[in-house]
Amino acid sequence: MGRASQAATKNTLSSFDPQAKALLAQMTLDEKLGQMTQPDKLYLQSPDDVANYSLGSVLSGGDSDPKTGNDLISWTDMYDEYQSRALRSRLHIPLLYGVDAVHGHNNVIGATVFPHNVGLGCTRNAELIQQVARITSEEVRATGINWAFSPCVTVPQDIRWGRTYEGYSQDPDIVKVLGEAMVKGLQRESLADPLAVAACAKHYIGDGGTTYGSAKTGLDQGNTEVDEATLRRIHLPGYITTVNAGVATVMPSYSSWNGVHCSGSKKLLTDLLKNELGFEGFLISDYAAINEMPGTYKQQIETSINAGMDMVMVPDKWMEYINLLRQLVQENAVPMSRIDDAVLRILRVKCAMGLTPGGPSPLADRSLHRSFGSMEHRAVARDCVRQSLVLLKNENKVLPLLKGAAHIHVAGEAADNIGNQCGGWTITWQGRSGEDTLGTTILTGIRAAAGPATKVTYSEDGSGGKGAKIGIAVVGETPYAEMFGDRSELRLKSQALGTIARMKADGMQVVLVLISGRPLVIDDVLGYVDAVVAAWLPGSEGAGVADVLFGAHKPGGKLGYSWPKESTTDFRIGSPGYHTLFEVGYGLSY
Ligand code: GLC
């Protein structure tokens, strides 16, 4: 197998330099600049742009879907169309095609959708996460796509942030282990593996540590105001382990560190990540993130590329980006050595993946369609759900529920709603309530687990359950992503309180199941319900929730985030205004 058989660990990528340098030596300036450009496919005038500009990469950002729909064939055909154009470029260098496969290949209807990281973090199970990543890479490669913008190794310090659920935990020691496992699963033992995808550790650095009020929506893309020791202690560990695991790409954060945009910080991108940590892959900017920096577009490009950015997720003004970067090189404002270093890093990854002229066909292997969304894959996702649930309260031994109970009433907006249980980054960028993709709702799982002898009734508002001794209220948050999930407070919605009240009024013992991207303030119902289960955003396999409720699997999940009391006035971890209801690591069992 030669070099390609080497495990993807630190300093593996530079072993491809002889091959990468030989390719680099053949390239014109414009071909080099093309490799440093990643448009969103939405903004290509024609697929031929890929060959005409020797583009290094194309992405499908949130909602950048095939014109023919979000099904497996449409995604595969779309990828093949762009990749086949890349093979027509002068040097025939294949594309890296990037998507946000952040909890399975979540863009595609019928994919196995895993719990979001907020739930996976509660499993503390690195082996399971690696299995999740291997299945994810297989389903991503089924569409031909070869680059996943995952894992998010953020360490959120304020759960009012809309991206809390993309993080495994507020504890860097949990994040560093699970992030490493995700990289090893996605990239497999070798990036040359036809089932491997390039991974992307993100968002570097301190994306989850911004100060509340430092961003338009509160926290997202704000300013992380901490000293260097704190930045290293909390926000760096996930990059140390993923770089050592050979992660192919890292995505700088939109956010700033002490007022300096991460996308333009030489200290962070070059001095710390590349020189001190020895990162040998390449940096991909976030979506139009360099445009958030001060100055004109040309100045933004100059600052970011000279700081160490290697490829820019432009995503729209990509021709202008190429023209301006060419000017900067011709004016020597961006030295040719920086261009060559950036392109060498990109070519290292492509050589490691066999994405080279005359290499193995980079077109989709459609035989993988057989296992896409398979029962085997879904069984693993269901086990993830079981292991992610955290039992916060269980009084009067209401749990586990008895099979064959006479009558169970199920209620709540999230009980029979795939979209709610999957959350954001599912089919669409923001996700959406309703029949968003294929899978099993929590209600369907309860009906199956209860058995034919049990009368299982359902109403969204909790009414109509008279006679049932047990009520299960499945409530929480509706889908959101990024800044749209920033909140100023985290109470349960009034209709959820009404649902619970109706069930209590009908004499039921109530089991509260929370579907949310983060802990929610539950003081006003905690004393009122008999059991509470944090189910997070479980994904497509809602039956895993029933497995725990009926005792087929004993709950073992441990909180990755501390749970705030109602009296909390400042949700930032460690602030005097933060009052803890449950600590990180809390979780009951049967
Ligand atoms: C988004 C996110 C990033 C994602 C990228 C491409 O804005 O910040 O996590 O990978 O753009 O969709």
Side-chain angles (χ1 to χ4, degrees):
M1 283 280 278
R3 258 192 328 234
S5 63
Q6 284 175 330
T9 56
K10 186 174 177 179
N11 303 328
T12 302
L13 290 170
S14 59
S15 69
F16 290 93
D17 279 3
Q19 192 182 356
K21 285 178 177 172
L23 195 46
L24 180 65
Q26 301 171 49
M27 296 170 80
T28 65
L29 173 59
D30 276 1
E31 287 168 335
K32 294 176 182 178
L33 302 184
Q35 288 299 309
M36 297 171 68
T37 308
Q38 185 191 60
D40 188 303
K41 68 101 184 161
L42 286 173
Y43 301 105
L44 294 176
Q45 288 165 353
S46 150
D48 290 329
D49 290 341
V50 172
N52 298 339
Y53 291 86
S54 302
L55 295 176
S57 178
V58 172
L59 91 141
S60 279
D63 301 335
S64 172
D65 307 323
K67 292 186 179 68
T68 50
N70 271 320
D71 58 280
L72 174 58
I73 299 297
S74 293
W75 275 93
T76 309
D77 290 346
M78 178 182 77
Y79 165 83
D80 276 353
E81 181 176 23
Y82 290 115
Q83 189 62 277
S84 59
R85 292 310 198 288
L87 299 179
R88 294 181 198 165
S89 61
R90 183 180 77 88
L91 290 174
H92 317 297
I93 301 175
L95 275 180
L96 276 164
Y97 198 105
V99 292
D100 293 281
V102 295
H103 61 140
H105 197 355
N106 40 256
N107 303 283
V108 185
I109 293 170
T112 306
V113 182
F114 293 93
H116 270 295
N117 289 346
V118 63
L120 293 180
C122 298
T123 71
R124 305 292 202 276
N125 188 337
E127 276 175 37
L128 181 63
I129 303 313
Q130 193 160 334
Q131 206 181 358
V132 168
R134 289 172 68 89
I135 291 169
T136 300
S137 74
E138 183 177 339
E139 296 200 7
V140 170
R141 287 307 292 257
T143 56
I145 291 171
N146 49 25
W147 186 8
F149 301 129
S150 174
C152 186
V153 289
T154 184
V155 191
Q157 298 296 295
D158 187 326
I159 58 171
R160 290 172 292 187
W161 187 37
R163 306 195 75 166
T164 297
Y165 69 78
E166 296 185 64
Y168 297 107
S169 173
Q170 69 184 52
D171 180 345
D173 290 337
I174 295 169
V175 170
K176 72 182 185 184
V177 170
L178 300 186
E180 178 187 20
M182 186 59 81
V183 167
K184 288 182 172 176
L186 289 172
Q187 299 191 168
R188 300 194 170 224
E189 289 65 40
S190 161
L191 277 167
D193 183 328
L195 298 183
V197 297
C200 180
K202 70 184 187 181
H203 311 80
Y204 179 79
I205 181 174
D207 53 345
T210 57
T211 303
Y212 188 79
S214 66
K216 290 190 285 290
T217 54
L219 286 157
D220 192 45
Q221 305 183 16
N223 189 24
T224 298
E225 297 166 302
V226 296
D227 63 23
E228 182 168 343
T230 304
L231 188 80
R232 285 173 174 266
R233 177 172 54 82
I234 296 177
H235 302 287
L236 193 61
Y239 294 95
I240 295 171
T241 55
T242 52
V243 165
N244 288 342
V247 69
T249 68
V250 170
M251 185 184 293
S253 176
Y254 283 111
S255 57
S256 301
W257 176 42
N258 295 335
V260 178
H261 281 83
C262 293
S263 304
S265 167
K266 189 170 187 299
K267 177 182 172 69
L268 293 175
L269 304 189
T270 297
D271 301 346
L272 178 51
L273 185 68
K274 291 182 176 180
N275 294 344
E276 183 181 327
L277 265 60
F279 173 57
E280 297 192 341
F282 69 87
L283 288 168
I284 174 71
S285 73
D286 205 333
Y287 202 86
I290 70 168
N291 305 119
E292 309 276 317
M293 292 164 52
T296 65
Y297 191 18
K298 187 174 181 180
Q299 289 165 332
Q300 292 162 346
I301 296 167
E302 178 182 356
T303 303
S304 188
I305 299 297
N306 282 338
M309 195 72 75
D310 299 306
M311 182 186 284
V312 172
M313 186 185 293
V314 188
D316 48 357
K317 301 181 288 186
W318 58 274
M319 285 187 197
E320 188 183 354
Y321 162 77
I322 291 173
N323 292 334
L324 291 172
L325 185 51
R326 185 188 305 110
Q327 285 175 27
L328 288 163
V329 173
Q330 288 161 348
E331 294 156 7
N332 205 27
V334 172
M336 195 63 201
S337 58
R338 177 73 270 274
I339 298 296
D340 285 341
D341 173 56
V343 179
L344 176 65
R345 289 171 172 273
I346 294 165
L347 293 178
R348 276 174 180 168
V349 172
K350 291 192 172 186
C351 291
M353 298 183 77
L355 293 172
T356 53
S361 167
L363 299 181
D365 171 3
R366 294 180 189 237
S367 71
L368 296 173
H369 286 192
R370 276 198 298 274
S371 64
F372 188 85
S374 66
M375 291 317 292
E376 294 75 20
H377 290 177
R378 291 179 187 276
V380 175
R382 181 167 174 170
D383 191 32
C384 290
V385 176
R386 294 186 195 116
Q387 294 193 42
S388 66
L389 263 54
V390 180
L391 181 60
L392 300 175
K393 177 182 180 181
N394 185 23
E395 283 185 0
N396 314 317
K397 294 202 181 311
V398 68
L399 292 178
L401 301 176
L402 292 179
K403 260 187 178 312
H407 180 186
I408 294 175
H409 188 58
V410 182
E413 62 182 352
D416 197 27
N417 195 314
I418 285 272
N420 284 19
Q421 68 191 54
C422 286
W425 295 106
T426 310
I427 309 303
T428 64
W429 175 38
Q430 292 294 313
R432 57 194 167 195
S433 298
E435 290 306 306
D436 201 22
T437 187
L438 307 182
T440 308
T441 67
I442 294 166
L443 174 62
T444 303
I446 290 169
R447 290 193 194 283
T454 301
K455 179 183 174 187
V456 177
T457 50
Y458 170 70
S459 67
E460 186 164 326
D461 68 359
S463 63
K466 273 194 189 320
K469 289 193 172 27
I470 298 288
I472 304 172
V474 188
V475 296
E477 295 188 303
T478 48
Y480 55 81
E482 301 194 49
M483 66 290 287
F484 294 97
D486 277 4
R487 295 286 181 273
S488 57
E489 56 80 31
L490 295 165
R491 293 175 182 285
L492 269 183
K493 288 180 278 194
S494 58
Q495 71 252 40
L497 302 177
T499 298
I500 294 164
R502 283 184 200 91
M503 299 167 95
K504 291 297 286 182
D506 280 347
M508 295 175 217
Q509 286 184 299
V510 175
V511 175
L512 173 60
V513 177
L514 292 168
I515 296 298
S516 64
R518 54 198 149 192
L520 298 175
V521 172
I522 57 172
D523 299 55
D524 44 4
V525 292
L526 190 58
Y528 193 38
V529 298
D530 300 84
V532 182
V533 176
W536 315 112
L537 299 172
S540 58
E541 306 313 306
V545 175
D547 293 339
V548 171
L549 295 180
F550 284 85
H553 178 90
K554 288 186 178 176
K558 303 293 177 197
L559 289 181
Y561 294 91
S562 64
W563 202 286
K565 270 184 181 159
E566 181 180 34
S567 57
T568 293
T569 54
D570 182 346
F571 287 84
R572 187 176 184 90
I573 301 301
S575 83
Y578 188 102
H579 305 144
T580 305
L581 182 60
F582 304 117
E583 296 286 357
V584 171
Y586 180 82
L588 303 174
S589 190
Y590 300 149

